[in-house]
Amino acid sequence: MAFKLDSVVPWGRNMEEYRLMFQLDDRDMSKKIAGFGDGPACFNYEMTERNGDVTSFDLIYQFSKEEIEKRIEEVRITVMQQMRENKDHYVWKHIRNLEELENIRMSAMRRFLSDYEKGKKEGRYVFHELPHRLPYEVDYFDIGLSSHFLLMYTSLGYDFHIASMTEMLRVCKEIRIFPMVDLDANKTDLIGNVISYFQKDYTVEIVKTEYEFQKGDNKLLIIRK
Ligand SMILES: C[S@@+](CC[C@H](N)C(=O)[O-])C[C@H]1O[C@@H](n2cnc3c(N)ncnc32)[C@H](O)[C@@H]1O
């Protein structure tokens, strides 16, 4: 069945948030980075502005700028309504209130949209669906990132996660996944089982982050070869 854009809620973060979530220091920021499920985040745009090297992969990059823009406008009101209803589940520190949240997210997504067509031509936004094989050789990227995608969508299942992360670890020297909770900010068996699987052949590290937006989502998973 063809993938439909109305099954996705596009909601994008910015470079500063990526830097804090993934604990990217200046050395990391100068490396070759892959962003999996980057969606409408403006990490790629902002990194390119500062001569960084980021390639973003996502299912939504099969759609046009106009289609993604329309979908962002469609979900904006619903997402903000949900945030208003659940605002006690969030830590209002880096982002101080709902108004600031909407401004930060919309500004990130506008910057993404302004860069999308150029970035597609330059091969920085690549339509790709995990866990399919990526057209890159072993260790092509230094770091692979997944923000608010892997480990969160538990309905995708254990096999999807193992296959996706195995493929990411084929083309990346290390991968970093944030956060380590599901959509309701709960720890899950899936996360424990995925960690046990990779601990057999890789170095696995769990790092507490200063960044915490949804209460409890302050842990970063790093898997290295
Ligand atoms: C909640 S968004 C996160 C966007 C961005 N990483 C951020 O933190 O701002 C999750 C993204 O994962 C993408 N996605 C979902 N399933 C995918 C798959 N199998 N392969 C690639 N991307 C996928 C969605 O299209 C969406 O853009």
Side-chain angles (χ1 to χ4, degrees), residues 65-89:
K65 176 184 172 184
E66 289 70 28
E67 286 169 317
I68 299 175
E69 190 164 24
K70 184 168 163 275
R71 183 66 190 145
I72 289 172
E73 282 307 325
E74 277 168 11
V75 302
R76 171 186 186 165
I77 293 172
T78 324
V79 173
M80 285 314 298
Q81 181 57 33
Q82 283 167 355
M83 291 298 301
R84 218 161 277 123
E85 284 164 13
N86 295 303
K87 69 176 190 312
D88 295 345
H89 299 175

mmCIF file with all atom_site columns, all heavy atoms in Angstrom, residues 65-89:
data_model
loop_
_atom_site.group_PDB
_atom_site.id
_atom_site.type_symbol
_atom_site.label_atom_id
_atom_site.label_alt_id
_atom_site.label_comp_id
_atom_site.label_asym_id
_atom_site.label_entity_id
_atom_site.label_seq_id
_atom_site.pdbx_PDB_ins_code
_atom_site.Cartn_x
_atom_site.Cartn_y
_atom_site.Cartn_z
_atom_site.occupancy
_atom_site.B_iso_or_equiv
_atom_site.pdbx_formal_charge
_atom_site.auth_seq_id
_atom_site.auth_comp_id
_atom_site.auth_asym_id
_atom_site.auth_atom_id
_atom_site.pdbx_PDB_model_num
ATOM 1   N N   . LYS A 1 65 ? 7.387  20.167 -1.863 1.00 0.00 ? 65 LYS A N   1
ATOM 2   C CA  . LYS A 1 65 ? 7.397  21.225 -0.850 1.00 0.00 ? 65 LYS A CA  1
ATOM 3   C C   . LYS A 1 65 ? 5.951  21.658 -0.519 1.00 0.00 ? 65 LYS A C   1
ATOM 4   O O   . LYS A 1 65 ? 5.584  21.784 0.644  1.00 0.00 ? 65 LYS A O   1
ATOM 5   C CB  . LYS A 1 65 ? 8.197  22.419 -1.392 1.00 0.00 ? 65 LYS A CB  1
ATOM 6   C CG  . LYS A 1 65 ? 8.188  23.605 -0.485 1.00 0.00 ? 65 LYS A CG  1
ATOM 7   C CD  . LYS A 1 65 ? 8.910  24.782 -1.110 1.00 0.00 ? 65 LYS A CD  1
ATOM 8   C CE  . LYS A 1 65 ? 8.714  26.009 -0.237 1.00 0.00 ? 65 LYS A CE  1
ATOM 9   N NZ  . LYS A 1 65 ? 9.282  27.208 -0.803 1.00 0.00 ? 65 LYS A NZ  1
ATOM 10  N N   . GLU A 1 66 ? 5.141  21.836 -1.562 1.00 0.00 ? 66 GLU A N   1
ATOM 11  C CA  . GLU A 1 66 ? 3.765  22.309 -1.354 1.00 0.00 ? 66 GLU A CA  1
ATOM 12  C C   . GLU A 1 66 ? 2.956  21.289 -0.552 1.00 0.00 ? 66 GLU A C   1
ATOM 13  O O   . GLU A 1 66 ? 2.181  21.651 0.329  1.00 0.00 ? 66 GLU A O   1
ATOM 14  C CB  . GLU A 1 66 ? 3.059  22.556 -2.703 1.00 0.00 ? 66 GLU A CB  1
ATOM 15  C CG  . GLU A 1 66 ? 3.558  23.762 -3.468 1.00 0.00 ? 66 GLU A CG  1
ATOM 16  C CD  . GLU A 1 66 ? 4.973  23.588 -4.032 1.00 0.00 ? 66 GLU A CD  1
ATOM 17  O OE1 . GLU A 1 66 ? 5.367  22.420 -4.310 1.00 0.00 ? 66 GLU A OE1 1
ATOM 18  O OE2 . GLU A 1 66 ? 5.690  24.599 -4.163 1.00 0.00 ? 66 GLU A OE2 1
ATOM 19  N N   . GLU A 1 67 ? 3.158  20.005 -0.859 1.00 0.00 ? 67 GLU A N   1
ATOM 20  C CA  . GLU A 1 67 ? 2.401  18.963 -0.141 1.00 0.00 ? 67 GLU A CA  1
ATOM 21  C C   . GLU A 1 67 ? 2.803  18.928 1.340  1.00 0.00 ? 67 GLU A C   1
ATOM 22  O O   . GLU A 1 67 ? 1.949  18.824 2.229  1.00 0.00 ? 67 GLU A O   1
ATOM 23  C CB  . GLU A 1 67 ? 2.660  17.592 -0.793 1.00 0.00 ? 67 GLU A CB  1
ATOM 24  C CG  . GLU A 1 67 ? 1.951  17.423 -2.131 1.00 0.00 ? 67 GLU A CG  1
ATOM 25  C CD  . GLU A 1 67 ? 2.415  16.177 -2.893 1.00 0.00 ? 67 GLU A CD  1
ATOM 26  O OE1 . GLU A 1 67 ? 3.634  15.890 -2.935 1.00 0.00 ? 67 GLU A OE1 1
ATOM 27  O OE2 . GLU A 1 67 ? 1.555  15.485 -3.449 1.00 0.00 ? 67 GLU A OE2 1
ATOM 28  N N   . ILE A 1 68 ? 4.105  19.033 1.611  1.00 0.00 ? 68 ILE A N   1
ATOM 29  C CA  . ILE A 1 68 ? 4.564  18.989 3.012  1.00 0.00 ? 68 ILE A CA  1
ATOM 30  C C   . ILE A 1 68 ? 4.089  20.236 3.760  1.00 0.00 ? 68 ILE A C   1
ATOM 31  O O   . ILE A 1 68 ? 3.607  20.160 4.893  1.00 0.00 ? 68 ILE A O   1
ATOM 32  C CB  . ILE A 1 68 ? 6.108  18.836 3.089  1.00 0.00 ? 68 ILE A CB  1
ATOM 33  C CG1 . ILE A 1 68 ? 6.548  17.522 2.418  1.00 0.00 ? 68 ILE A CG1 1
ATOM 34  C CG2 . ILE A 1 68 ? 6.586  18.870 4.543  1.00 0.00 ? 68 ILE A CG2 1
ATOM 35  C CD1 . ILE A 1 68 ? 8.059  17.326 2.332  1.00 0.00 ? 68 ILE A CD1 1
ATOM 36  N N   . GLU A 1 69 ? 4.177  21.378 3.076  1.00 0.00 ? 69 GLU A N   1
ATOM 37  C CA  . GLU A 1 69 ? 3.752  22.649 3.692  1.00 0.00 ? 69 GLU A CA  1
ATOM 38  C C   . GLU A 1 69 ? 2.268  22.595 4.072  1.00 0.00 ? 69 GLU A C   1
ATOM 39  O O   . GLU A 1 69 ? 1.886  22.986 5.176  1.00 0.00 ? 69 GLU A O   1
ATOM 40  C CB  . GLU A 1 69 ? 3.994  23.776 2.676  1.00 0.00 ? 69 GLU A CB  1
ATOM 41  C CG  . GLU A 1 69 ? 3.825  25.153 3.246  1.00 0.00 ? 69 GLU A CG  1
ATOM 42  C CD  . GLU A 1 69 ? 4.442  26.209 2.322  1.00 0.00 ? 69 GLU A CD  1
ATOM 43  O OE1 . GLU A 1 69 ? 4.574  25.960 1.102  1.00 0.00 ? 69 GLU A OE1 1
ATOM 44  O OE2 . GLU A 1 69 ? 4.797  27.273 2.839  1.00 0.00 ? 69 GLU A OE2 1
ATOM 45  N N   . LYS A 1 70 ? 1.467  22.037 3.183  1.00 0.00 ? 70 LYS A N   1
ATOM 46  C CA  . LYS A 1 70 ? 0.021  21.934 3.420  1.00 0.00 ? 70 LYS A CA  1
ATOM 47  C C   . LYS A 1 70 ? -0.230 21.031 4.634  1.00 0.00 ? 70 LYS A C   1
ATOM 48  O O   . LYS A 1 70 ? -1.039 21.342 5.501  1.00 0.00 ? 70 LYS A O   1
ATOM 49  C CB  . LYS A 1 70 ? -0.644 21.354 2.163  1.00 0.00 ? 70 LYS A CB  1
ATOM 50  C CG  . LYS A 1 70 ? -2.145 21.269 2.223  1.00 0.00 ? 70 LYS A CG  1
ATOM 51  C CD  . LYS A 1 70 ? -2.714 20.965 0.829  1.00 0.00 ? 70 LYS A CD  1
ATOM 52  C CE  . LYS A 1 70 ? -4.141 20.463 0.909  1.00 0.00 ? 70 LYS A CE  1
ATOM 53  N NZ  . LYS A 1 70 ? -4.268 19.028 1.151  1.00 0.00 ? 70 LYS A NZ  1
ATOM 54  N N   . ARG A 1 71 ? 0.496  19.929 4.705  1.00 0.00 ? 71 ARG A N   1
ATOM 55  C CA  . ARG A 1 71 ? 0.314  18.982 5.816  1.00 0.00 ? 71 ARG A CA  1
ATOM 56  C C   . ARG A 1 71 ? 0.742  19.620 7.157  1.00 0.00 ? 71 ARG A C   1
ATOM 57  O O   . ARG A 1 71 ? 0.099  19.412 8.181  1.00 0.00 ? 71 ARG A O   1
ATOM 58  C CB  . ARG A 1 71 ? 1.134  17.706 5.524  1.00 0.00 ? 71 ARG A CB  1
ATOM 59  C CG  . ARG A 1 71 ? 0.988  16.613 6.549  1.00 0.00 ? 71 ARG A CG  1
ATOM 60  C CD  . ARG A 1 71 ? -0.416 16.016 6.596  1.00 0.00 ? 71 ARG A CD  1
ATOM 61  N NE  . ARG A 1 71 ? -0.575 15.141 7.749  1.00 0.00 ? 71 ARG A NE  1
ATOM 62  C CZ  . ARG A 1 71 ? -1.695 15.008 8.447  1.00 0.00 ? 71 ARG A CZ  1
ATOM 63  N NH1 . ARG A 1 71 ? -2.782 15.660 8.112  1.00 0.00 ? 71 ARG A NH1 1
ATOM 64  N NH2 . ARG A 1 71 ? -1.752 14.196 9.487  1.00 0.00 ? 71 ARG A NH2 1
ATOM 65  N N   . ILE A 1 72 ? 1.814  20.410 7.127  1.00 0.00 ? 72 ILE A N   1
ATOM 66  C CA  . ILE A 1 72 ? 2.274  21.088 8.350  1.00 0.00 ? 72 ILE A CA  1
ATOM 67  C C   . ILE A 1 72 ? 1.167  22.019 8.860  1.00 0.00 ? 72 ILE A C   1
ATOM 68  O O   . ILE A 1 72 ? 0.832  22.024 10.044 1.00 0.00 ? 72 ILE A O   1
ATOM 69  C CB  . ILE A 1 72 ? 3.591  21.876 8.096  1.00 0.00 ? 72 ILE A CB  1
ATOM 70  C CG1 . ILE A 1 72 ? 4.757  20.908 7.899  1.00 0.00 ? 72 ILE A CG1 1
ATOM 71  C CG2 . ILE A 1 72 ? 3.882  22.853 9.244  1.00 0.00 ? 72 ILE A CG2 1
ATOM 72  C CD1 . ILE A 1 72 ? 6.070  21.546 7.446  1.00 0.00 ? 72 ILE A CD1 1
ATOM 73  N N   . GLU A 1 73 ? 0.563  22.775 7.938  1.00 0.00 ? 73 GLU A N   1
ATOM 74  C CA  . GLU A 1 73 ? -0.510 23.703 8.340  1.00 0.00 ? 73 GLU A CA  1
ATOM 75  C C   . GLU A 1 73 ? -1.712 22.936 8.878  1.00 0.00 ? 73 GLU A C   1
ATOM 76  O O   . GLU A 1 73 ? -2.358 23.363 9.824  1.00 0.00 ? 73 GLU A O   1
ATOM 77  C CB  . GLU A 1 73 ? -0.916 24.617 7.178  1.00 0.00 ? 73 GLU A CB  1
ATOM 78  C CG  . GLU A 1 73 ? 0.048  25.773 6.942  1.00 0.00 ? 73 GLU A CG  1
ATOM 79  C CD  . GLU A 1 73 ? 0.328  26.621 8.200  1.00 0.00 ? 73 GLU A CD  1
ATOM 80  O OE1 . GLU A 1 73 ? -0.571 26.821 9.033  1.00 0.00 ? 73 GLU A OE1 1
ATOM 81  O OE2 . GLU A 1 73 ? 1.484  27.071 8.358  1.00 0.00 ? 73 GLU A OE2 1
ATOM 82  N N   . GLU A 1 74 ? -2.000 21.760 8.271  1.00 0.00 ? 74 GLU A N   1
ATOM 83  C CA  . GLU A 1 74 ? -3.142 20.955 8.725  1.00 0.00 ? 74 GLU A CA  1
ATOM 84  C C   . GLU A 1 74 ? -2.961 20.470 10.162 1.00 0.00 ? 74 GLU A C   1
ATOM 85  O O   . GLU A 1 74 ? -3.905 20.451 10.937 1.00 0.00 ? 74 GLU A O   1
ATOM 86  C CB  . GLU A 1 74 ? -3.293 19.708 7.830  1.00 0.00 ? 74 GLU A CB  1
ATOM 87  C CG  . GLU A 1 74 ? -4.033 19.933 6.531  1.00 0.00 ? 74 GLU A CG  1
ATOM 88  C CD  . GLU A 1 74 ? -3.883 18.745 5.579  1.00 0.00 ? 74 GLU A CD  1
ATOM 89  O OE1 . GLU A 1 74 ? -3.373 17.669 6.005  1.00 0.00 ? 74 GLU A OE1 1
ATOM 90  O OE2 . GLU A 1 74 ? -4.250 18.898 4.417  1.00 0.00 ? 74 GLU A OE2 1
ATOM 91  N N   . VAL A 1 75 ? -1.742 20.046 10.505 1.00 0.00 ? 75 VAL A N   1
ATOM 92  C CA  . VAL A 1 75 ? -1.547 19.411 11.829 1.00 0.00 ? 75 VAL A CA  1
ATOM 93  C C   . VAL A 1 75 ? -1.250 20.439 12.922 1.00 0.00 ? 75 VAL A C   1
ATOM 94  O O   . VAL A 1 75 ? -1.403 20.149 14.105 1.00 0.00 ? 75 VAL A O   1
ATOM 95  C CB  . VAL A 1 75 ? -0.421 18.341 11.825 1.00 0.00 ? 75 VAL A CB  1
ATOM 96  C CG1 . VAL A 1 75 ? -0.709 17.268 10.809 1.00 0.00 ? 75 VAL A CG1 1
ATOM 97  C CG2 . VAL A 1 75 ? 0.943  18.932 11.645 1.00 0.00 ? 75 VAL A CG2 1
ATOM 98  N N   . ARG A 1 76 ? -0.848 21.629 12.532 1.00 0.00 ? 76 ARG A N   1
ATOM 99  C CA  . ARG A 1 76 ? -0.403 22.646 13.495 1.00 0.00 ? 76 ARG A CA  1
ATOM 100 C C   . ARG A 1 76 ? -1.416 22.870 14.635 1.00 0.00 ? 76 ARG A C   1
ATOM 101 O O   . ARG A 1 76 ? -1.066 22.801 15.819 1.00 0.00 ? 76 ARG A O   1
ATOM 102 C CB  . ARG A 1 76 ? -0.160 23.941 12.715 1.00 0.00 ? 76 ARG A CB  1
ATOM 103 C CG  . ARG A 1 76 ? 0.106  25.135 13.551 1.00 0.00 ? 76 ARG A CG  1
ATOM 104 C CD  . ARG A 1 76 ? 0.188  26.354 12.658 1.00 0.00 ? 76 ARG A CD  1
ATOM 105 N NE  . ARG A 1 76 ? 0.581  27.516 13.411 1.00 0.00 ? 76 ARG A NE  1
ATOM 106 C CZ  . ARG A 1 76 ? 1.003  28.643 12.860 1.00 0.00 ? 76 ARG A CZ  1
ATOM 107 N NH1 . ARG A 1 76 ? 1.097  28.745 11.555 1.00 0.00 ? 76 ARG A NH1 1
ATOM 108 N NH2 . ARG A 1 76 ? 1.338  29.664 13.604 1.00 0.00 ? 76 ARG A NH2 1
ATOM 109 N N   . ILE A 1 77 ? -2.685 23.096 14.272 1.00 0.00 ? 77 ILE A N   1
ATOM 110 C CA  . ILE A 1 77 ? -3.700 23.423 15.281 1.00 0.00 ? 77 ILE A CA  1
ATOM 111 C C   . ILE A 1 77 ? -3.936 22.230 16.209 1.00 0.00 ? 77 ILE A C   1
ATOM 112 O O   . ILE A 1 77 ? -3.988 22.374 17.434 1.00 0.00 ? 77 ILE A O   1
ATOM 113 C CB  . ILE A 1 77 ? -5.007 23.873 14.578 1.00 0.00 ? 77 ILE A CB  1
ATOM 114 C CG1 . ILE A 1 77 ? -4.719 25.210 13.884 1.00 0.00 ? 77 ILE A CG1 1
ATOM 115 C CG2 . ILE A 1 77 ? -6.157 24.004 15.571 1.00 0.00 ? 77 ILE A CG2 1
ATOM 116 C CD1 . ILE A 1 77 ? -5.805 25.709 12.999 1.00 0.00 ? 77 ILE A CD1 1
ATOM 117 N N   . THR A 1 78 ? -4.029 21.027 15.611 1.00 0.00 ? 78 THR A N   1
ATOM 118 C CA  . THR A 1 78 ? -4.269 19.817 16.423 1.00 0.00 ? 78 THR A CA  1
ATOM 119 C C   . THR A 1 78 ? -3.122 19.573 17.389 1.00 0.00 ? 78 THR A C   1
ATOM 120 O O   . THR A 1 78 ? -3.339 19.275 18.568 1.00 0.00 ? 78 THR A O   1
ATOM 121 C CB  . THR A 1 78 ? -4.379 18.571 15.493 1.00 0.00 ? 78 THR A CB  1
ATOM 122 O OG1 . THR A 1 78 ? -5.018 18.955 14.309 1.00 0.00 ? 78 THR A OG1 1
ATOM 123 C CG2 . THR A 1 78 ? -5.082 17.427 16.165 1.00 0.00 ? 78 THR A CG2 1
ATOM 124 N N   . VAL A 1 79 ? -1.888 19.685 16.886 1.00 0.00 ? 79 VAL A N   1
ATOM 125 C CA  . VAL A 1 79 ? -0.731 19.417 17.748 1.00 0.00 ? 79 VAL A CA  1
ATOM 126 C C   . VAL A 1 79 ? -0.698 20.422 18.896 1.00 0.00 ? 79 VAL A C   1
ATOM 127 O O   . VAL A 1 79 ? -0.515 20.063 20.060 1.00 0.00 ? 79 VAL A O   1
ATOM 128 C CB  . VAL A 1 79 ? 0.594  19.451 16.952 1.00 0.00 ? 79 VAL A CB  1
ATOM 129 C CG1 . VAL A 1 79 ? 1.783  19.334 17.890 1.00 0.00 ? 79 VAL A CG1 1
ATOM 130 C CG2 . VAL A 1 79 ? 0.645  18.329 15.933 1.00 0.00 ? 79 VAL A CG2 1
ATOM 131 N N   . MET A 1 80 ? -0.932 21.704 18.587 1.00 0.00 ? 80 MET A N   1
ATOM 132 C CA  . MET A 1 80 ? -0.876 22.725 19.638 1.00 0.00 ? 80 MET A CA  1
ATOM 133 C C   . MET A 1 80 ? -2.008 22.516 20.648 1.00 0.00 ? 80 MET A C   1
ATOM 134 O O   . MET A 1 80 ? -1.821 22.720 21.846 1.00 0.00 ? 80 MET A O   1
ATOM 135 C CB  . MET A 1 80 ? -0.918 24.132 19.025 1.00 0.00 ? 80 MET A CB  1
ATOM 136 C CG  . MET A 1 80 ? 0.382  24.564 18.382 1.00 0.00 ? 80 MET A CG  1
ATOM 137 S SD  . MET A 1 80 ? 1.885  24.261 19.364 1.00 0.00 ? 80 MET A SD  1
ATOM 138 C CE  . MET A 1 80 ? 1.599  25.265 20.820 1.00 0.00 ? 80 MET A CE  1
ATOM 139 N N   . GLN A 1 81 ? -3.183 22.069 20.184 1.00 0.00 ? 81 GLN A N   1
ATOM 140 C CA  . GLN A 1 81 ? -4.296 21.771 21.094 1.00 0.00 ? 81 GLN A CA  1
ATOM 141 C C   . GLN A 1 81 ? -3.900 20.634 22.049 1.00 0.00 ? 81 GLN A C   1
ATOM 142 O O   . GLN A 1 81 ? -4.116 20.709 23.262 1.00 0.00 ? 81 GLN A O   1
ATOM 143 C CB  . GLN A 1 81 ? -5.540 21.399 20.255 1.00 0.00 ? 81 GLN A CB  1
ATOM 144 C CG  . GLN A 1 81 ? -6.790 21.075 21.058 1.00 0.00 ? 81 GLN A CG  1
ATOM 145 C CD  . GLN A 1 81 ? -7.201 22.233 21.978 1.00 0.00 ? 81 GLN A CD  1
ATOM 146 O OE1 . GLN A 1 81 ? -7.008 23.406 21.651 1.00 0.00 ? 81 GLN A OE1 1
ATOM 147 N NE2 . GLN A 1 81 ? -7.715 21.899 23.154 1.00 0.00 ? 81 GLN A NE2 1
ATOM 148 N N   . GLN A 1 82 ? -3.252 19.591 21.481 1.00 0.00 ? 82 GLN A N   1
ATOM 149 C CA  . GLN A 1 82 ? -2.804 18.455 22.318 1.00 0.00 ? 82 GLN A CA  1
ATOM 150 C C   . GLN A 1 82 ? -1.755 18.919 23.331 1.00 0.00 ? 82 GLN A C   1
ATOM 151 O O   . GLN A 1 82 ? -1.752 18.495 24.482 1.00 0.00 ? 82 GLN A O   1
ATOM 152 C CB  . GLN A 1 82 ? -2.216 17.354 21.447 1.00 0.00 ? 82 GLN A CB  1
ATOM 153 C CG  . GLN A 1 82 ? -3.276 16.534 20.730 1.00 0.00 ? 82 GLN A CG  1
ATOM 154 C CD  . GLN A 1 82 ? -2.692 15.663 19.629 1.00 0.00 ? 82 GLN A CD  1
ATOM 155 O OE1 . GLN A 1 82 ? -1.495 15.726 19.334 1.00 0.00 ? 82 GLN A OE1 1
ATOM 156 N NE2 . GLN A 1 82 ? -3.541 14.867 19.002 1.00 0.00 ? 82 GLN A NE2 1
ATOM 157 N N   . MET A 1 83 ? -0.864 19.791 22.893 1.00 0.00 ? 83 MET A N   1
ATOM 158 C CA  . MET A 1 83 ? 0.179  20.303 23.795 1.00 0.00 ? 83 MET A CA  1
ATOM 159 C C   . MET A 1 83 ? -0.459 21.083 24.946 1.00 0.00 ? 83 MET A C   1
ATOM 160 O O   . MET A 1 83 ? -0.057 20.962 26.092 1.00 0.00 ? 83 MET A O   1
ATOM 161 C CB  . MET A 1 83 ? 1.153  21.218 23.039 1.00 0.00 ? 83 MET A CB  1
ATOM 162 C CG  . MET A 1 83 ? 2.041  20.539 22.038 1.00 0.00 ? 83 MET A CG  1
ATOM 163 S SD  . MET A 1 83 ? 3.161  19.299 22.707 1.00 0.00 ? 83 MET A SD  1
ATOM 164 C CE  . MET A 1 83 ? 4.101  20.243 23.877 1.00 0.00 ? 83 MET A CE  1
ATOM 165 N N   . ARG A 1 84 ? -1.492 21.881 24.614 1.00 0.00 ? 84 ARG A N   1
ATOM 166 C CA  . ARG A 1 84 ? -2.186 22.684 25.637 1.00 0.00 ? 84 ARG A CA  1
ATOM 167 C C   . ARG A 1 84 ? -2.815 21.755 26.673 1.00 0.00 ? 84 ARG A C   1
ATOM 168 O O   . ARG A 1 84 ? -2.701 21.970 27.877 1.00 0.00 ? 84 ARG A O   1
ATOM 169 C CB  . ARG A 1 84 ? -3.287 23.511 24.930 1.00 0.00 ? 84 ARG A CB  1
ATOM 170 C CG  . ARG A 1 84 ? -3.452 24.906 25.484 1.00 0.00 ? 84 ARG A CG  1
ATOM 171 C CD  . ARG A 1 84 ? -4.187 25.822 24.513 1.00 0.00 ? 84 ARG A CD  1
ATOM 172 N NE  . ARG A 1 84 ? -3.297 26.375 23.511 1.00 0.00 ? 84 ARG A NE  1
ATOM 173 C CZ  . ARG A 1 84 ? -3.454 26.254 22.201 1.00 0.00 ? 84 ARG A CZ  1
ATOM 174 N NH1 . ARG A 1 84 ? -4.484 25.605 21.709 1.00 0.00 ? 84 ARG A NH1 1
ATOM 175 N NH2 . ARG A 1 84 ? -2.581 26.778 21.373 1.00 0.00 ? 84 ARG A NH2 1
ATOM 176 N N   . GLU A 1 85 ? -3.453 20.673 26.181 1.00 0.00 ? 85 GLU A N   1
ATOM 177 C CA  . GLU A 1 85 ? -4.130 19.740 27.092 1.00 0.00 ? 85 GLU A CA  1
ATOM 178 C C   . GLU A 1 85 ? -3.132 18.986 27.969 1.00 0.00 ? 85 GLU A C   1
ATOM 179 O O   . GLU A 1 85 ? -3.451 18.593 29.080 1.00 0.00 ? 85 GLU A O   1
ATOM 180 C CB  . GLU A 1 85 ? -4.961 18.726 26.268 1.00 0.00 ? 85 GLU A CB  1
ATOM 181 C CG  . GLU A 1 85 ? -6.239 19.325 25.722 1.00 0.00 ? 85 GLU A CG  1
ATOM 182 C CD  . GLU A 1 85 ? -6.853 18.481 24.605 1.00 0.00 ? 85 GLU A CD  1
ATOM 183 O OE1 . GLU A 1 85 ? -6.429 17.318 24.421 1.00 0.00 ? 85 GLU A OE1 1
ATOM 184 O OE2 . GLU A 1 85 ? -7.742 19.010 23.905 1.00 0.00 ? 85 GLU A OE2 1
ATOM 185 N N   . ASN A 1 86 ? -1.919 18.758 27.431 1.00 0.00 ? 86 ASN A N   1
ATOM 186 C CA  . ASN A 1 86 ? -0.935 17.926 28.159 1.00 0.00 ? 86 ASN A CA  1
ATOM 187 C C   . ASN A 1 86 ? 0.250  18.725 28.678 1.00 0.00 ? 86 ASN A C   1
ATOM 188 O O   . ASN A 1 86 ? 1.306  18.168 28.946 1.00 0.00 ? 86 ASN A O   1
ATOM 189 C CB  . ASN A 1 86 ? -0.418 16.820 27.220 1.00 0.00 ? 86 ASN A CB  1
ATOM 190 C CG  . ASN A 1 86 ? -1.523 15.871 26.840 1.00 0.00 ? 86 ASN A CG  1
ATOM 191 O OD1 . ASN A 1 86 ? -2.157 15.271 27.693 1.00 0.00 ? 86 ASN A OD1 1
ATOM 192 N ND2 . ASN A 1 86 ? -1.786 15.754 25.547 1.00 0.00 ? 86 ASN A ND2 1
ATOM 193 N N   . LYS A 1 87 ? 0.065  20.034 28.850 1.00 0.00 ? 87 LYS A N   1
ATOM 194 C CA  . LYS A 1 87 ? 1.252  20.863 29.117 1.00 0.00 ? 87 LYS A CA  1
ATOM 195 C C   . LYS A 1 87 ? 1.978  20.509 30.420 1.00 0.00 ? 87 LYS A C   1
ATOM 196 O O   . LYS A 1 87 ? 3.175  20.745 30.541 1.00 0.00 ? 87 LYS A O   1
ATOM 197 C CB  . LYS A 1 87 ? 0.952  22.346 28.999 1.00 0.00 ? 87 LYS A CB  1
ATOM 198 C CG  . LYS A 1 87 ? 0.081  22.979 30.026 1.00 0.00 ? 87 LYS A CG  1
ATOM 199 C CD  . LYS A 1 87 ? 0.041  24.481 29.699 1.00 0.00 ? 87 LYS A CD  1
ATOM 200 C CE  . LYS A 1 87 ? -0.586 25.340 30.753 1.00 0.00 ? 87 LYS A CE  1
ATOM 201 N NZ  . LYS A 1 87 ? -1.853 24.882 31.276 1.00 0.00 ? 87 LYS A NZ  1
ATOM 202 N N   . ASP A 1 88 ? 1.263  19.878 31.362 1.00 0.00 ? 88 ASP A N   1
ATOM 203 C CA  . ASP A 1 88 ? 1.916  19.484 32.631 1.00 0.00 ? 88 ASP A CA  1
ATOM 204 C C   . ASP A 1 88 ? 2.885  18.309 32.441 1.00 0.00 ? 88 ASP A C   1
ATOM 205 O O   . ASP A 1 88 ? 3.647  17.985 33.342 1.00 0.00 ? 88 ASP A O   1
ATOM 206 C CB  . ASP A 1 88 ? 0.865  19.087 33.669 1.00 0.00 ? 88 ASP A CB  1
ATOM 207 C CG  . ASP A 1 88 ? 0.012  20.281 34.050 1.00 0.00 ? 88 ASP A CG  1
ATOM 208 O OD1 . ASP A 1 88 ? 0.424  21.420 33.742 1.00 0.00 ? 88 ASP A OD1 1
ATOM 209 O OD2 . ASP A 1 88 ? -1.080 20.075 34.621 1.00 0.00 ? 88 ASP A OD2 1
ATOM 210 N N   . HIS A 1 89 ? 2.838  17.678 31.286 1.00 0.00 ? 89 HIS A N   1
ATOM 211 C CA  . HIS A 1 89 ? 3.747  16.552 31.025 1.00 0.00 ? 89 HIS A CA  1
ATOM 212 C C   . HIS A 1 89 ? 5.097  17.039 30.496 1.00 0.00 ? 89 HIS A C   1
ATOM 213 O O   . HIS A 1 89 ? 5.955  16.221 30.176 1.00 0.00 ? 89 HIS A O   1
ATOM 214 C CB  . HIS A 1 89 ? 3.136  15.583 29.994 1.00 0.00 ? 89 HIS A CB  1
ATOM 215 C CG  . HIS A 1 89 ? 1.848  14.969 30.451 1.00 0.00 ? 89 HIS A CG  1
ATOM 216 N ND1 . HIS A 1 89 ? 1.079  14.149 29.664 1.00 0.00 ? 89 HIS A ND1 1
ATOM 217 C CD2 . HIS A 1 89 ? 1.189  15.054 31.631 1.00 0.00 ? 89 HIS A CD2 1
ATOM 218 C CE1 . HIS A 1 89 ? 0.009  13.765 30.323 1.00 0.00 ? 89 HIS A CE1 1
ATOM 219 N NE2 . HIS A 1 89 ? 0.061  14.308 31.515 1.00 0.00 ? 89 HIS A NE2 1
#
